[in-house]
Amino acid sequence: QVQLVESGGGLVQPGGSLRLSCAASGSFFSIDAMGWYRQAPGKERELAATITSGGSTNYADSVKGRFTISRDNAKNTVYLQMNSLKPEDTAIYYCNAEVPEKGWGTQVLRHYWGQGTQVTVYS
């Protein structure tokens, strides 16, 4: 029972910056890892960046040094700061969250997705 609402997408020139936000709401006690994935036209969805509840991060090679993922646990929000944007970054960006829930007597991780937000870098 988690809803993810994304914001911050838009149109930007090469070299510009955008910051994406994803706020989680609903009924849950905690959120484990959160991440951002992206899908360009005609391509498979791919990982852009992830961050654990402890703050450990992981980035795709294509965005290292340009993107920064962060989170505010008090606000249940994850961010993606995107700098030095390139036309190749054009894609729909999706927020993902792992939420621990009880199931079959054990704890399981449920994965939730946002609706996606369009990022367009034109040249």
Side-chain angles (χ1 to χ4, degrees):
Q1 292 286 10
V2 178
Q3 296 79 46
L4 302 177
V5 180
E6 298 155 312
S7 63
L11 185 66
V12 66
Q13 298 182 53
S17 298
L18 286 173
R19 189 177 77 155
L20 306 183
S21 299
C22 174
S25 63
S27 180
F28 55 87
F29 292 105
S30 63
I31 299 176
D32 286 354
M34 303 185 77
W36 290 94
Y37 295 74
R38 65 185 186 180
Q39 186 168 20
K43 300 182 65 176
E44 296 181 352
R45 186 177 300 186
E46 65 177 5
L47 167 73
T50 59
I51 183 169
T52 68
S53 60
S56 298
T57 59
N58 185 39
Y59 298 93
D61 289 340
S62 59
V63 308
K64 285 182 179 178
R66 300 187 298 118
F67 290 10
T68 302
I69 188 171
S70 61
R71 64 191 291 172
D72 186 337
N73 291 331
K75 297 181 179 180
N76 296 315
T77 300
V78 63
Y79 306 93
L80 186 67
Q81 179 66 48
M82 304 183 294
N83 299 325
S84 302
L85 283 163
K86 305 175 181 179
E88 304 93 277
D89 296 318
T90 296
I92 301 175
Y93 285 71
Y94 297 91
C95 177
N96 173 265
E98 296 179 341
V99 180
E101 299 178 1
K102 293 291 181 63
W104 297 99
T106 62
Q107 184 170 278
V108 299
L109 286 177
R110 293 286 300 274
H111 295 261
Y112 295 88
W113 293 89
Q115 78 286 349
T117 184
Q118 178 70 49
V119 172
T120 301
V121 185
Y122 64 88
S123 63

